[in-house]
Amino acid sequence: MTDYTKYDLTVTDRLKYGSLGAALAAAVSLAYYRSIAAALILCPVFAVGSPYLMRKKLKEQRDGKLSEEFLEAAGILAGYLNAGISSDNAFLMTYEQLKERYGEKQMIVREFGRLAKGILINRPAAELLSDFGRRTGNRDIQSFAEVYGIAGKTGGDPGKIIERTRTVLRDRMQVAEEIRNVTASRRFEQRIMNFVPCGVILYLNVASPGFMDVMYETLMGRAVMTGCLLASILSYIISEKILDIKI
């Protein structure tokens, strides 16, 4: 079973982000040190390390997609329950509808397939949902599993309870989407500003050869350039934390 609390890098991820990391290392080496030796040292390091630095963001993207898919599946499930279909049959029918809509390779289809197989061997749906929530580490799915389990124990109307829970989860996701939309322009500006120092240095080296020689040929100059590089890295880290708004 898939453990969604971890993200395993694919070959495509390693090639894509490794190439970008190597290109960034080459640009930094030429801009801040004007050194092919530095590029030869940094390029392999960035090529290997960049995919691992991107792993957190890739995991967050996957988790967001899984939440959206689960929200839709919960809506289908609630519809069947409100129609008077039994809980177990509702899960089985939800799986069949998801499979028809997305095919069998989609994450939520695979997971509902596991739920369906468990139900067919008489495992409680609440237990299967709880296991799914634990493996994902996704608080939306965990909350849903808890509510579904409580509804089953208290004898409440599971269809209406799930629909209300789904509404709360959908509202929270909409707020998160609105925050992303509001901060989109700031993220774009941040990305531009992160590359401005390196771009200015490269431009000066091309437009005015010799103007920056003192920064590369003296110990003090190299120390200043290293300080500028560290300041650029620090500003990137701070800006990422400012724009990483959690709800």
Side-chain angles (χ1 to χ4, degrees):
M1 292 185 290
T2 304
D3 183 0
Y4 293 95
T5 60
K6 301 176 182 178
Y7 185 90
D8 294 324
L9 293 165
T10 65
V11 175
T12 302
D13 292 333
R14 294 178 188 276
L15 291 175
K16 177 181 177 180
Y17 296 107
S19 299
L20 291 174
L24 177 62
V28 167
S29 300
L30 294 176
Y32 287 91
Y33 298 106
R34 198 190 286 173
S35 170
I36 295 177
L40 292 175
I41 294 172
L42 292 178
C43 282
V45 175
F46 276 58
V48 173
S50 294
Y52 290 95
L53 293 176
M54 287 298 299
R55 184 158 53 183
K56 179 182 177 182
K57 186 165 290 187
L58 292 170
K59 179 181 178 299
E60 289 175 352
Q61 292 174 355
R62 184 192 63 186
D63 290 348
K65 183 179 180 182
L66 182 61
S67 292
E68 292 174 1
E69 293 176 359
F70 182 79
L71 194 65
E72 184 172 354
I76 297 172
L77 177 64
Y80 283 130
L81 291 171
N82 287 330
I85 296 172
S86 68
S87 175
D88 288 352
N89 286 332
F91 274 99
L92 296 175
M93 294 173 72
T94 299
Y95 166 61
E96 291 298 329
Q97 185 166 339
L98 289 171
K99 187 168 62 172
E100 290 178 4
R101 184 174 300 182
Y102 294 118
E104 297 185 357
K105 294 184 178 180
Q106 206 79 356
M107 288 184 290
I108 195 64
V109 179
R110 293 199 305 267
E111 292 303 329
F112 264 74
R114 292 190 181 98
L115 287 171
K117 290 178 181 177
I119 289 170
L120 290 174
I121 59 174
N122 297 321
R123 288 188 63 189
E127 177 186 320
L128 295 166
L129 274 175
S130 179
D131 177 66
F132 179 33
R134 178 187 57 78
R135 287 189 293 105
T136 61
N138 186 303
R139 62 177 179 173
D140 292 342
I141 299 175
Q142 290 173 339
S143 298
F144 183 92
E146 290 175 5
V147 170
Y148 183 85
I150 292 171
K153 292 177 182 178
T154 59
D157 186 336
K160 291 182 179 179
I161 293 173
I162 288 173
E163 190 59 44
R164 284 197 294 270
T165 305
R166 180 175 176 271
T167 299
V168 172
L169 298 179
R170 183 179 62 233
D171 290 343
R172 195 174 71 80
M173 290 176 64
Q174 287 176 346
V175 170
E177 182 64 27
E178 289 174 4
I179 291 174
R180 284 194 294 270
N181 292 336
V182 169
T183 59
S185 60
R186 294 291 176 264
R187 291 181 184 278
F188 181 69
E189 293 171 4
Q190 173 219 345
R191 292 190 180 99
I192 293 176
M193 293 305 297
N194 286 333
F195 288 102
V196 164
C198 186
V200 169
I201 294 171
L202 289 173
Y203 172 76
L204 289 174
N205 281 326
V206 173
S208 302
F211 181 76
M212 298 281 289
D213 286 353
V214 67
M215 304 303 292
Y216 301 108
E217 296 174 356
T218 65
L219 182 62
M220 180 60 71
R222 290 183 180 277
V224 171
M225 294 300 282
T226 300
C228 292
L229 176 58
L230 293 176
S232 297
I233 294 172
L234 181 62
S235 66
Y236 169 77
I237 294 172
I238 292 173
S239 62
E240 282 290 314
K241 288 187 177 296
I242 291 174
L243 292 173
D244 185 22
I245 302 173
K246 302 291 186 183
I247 62 170

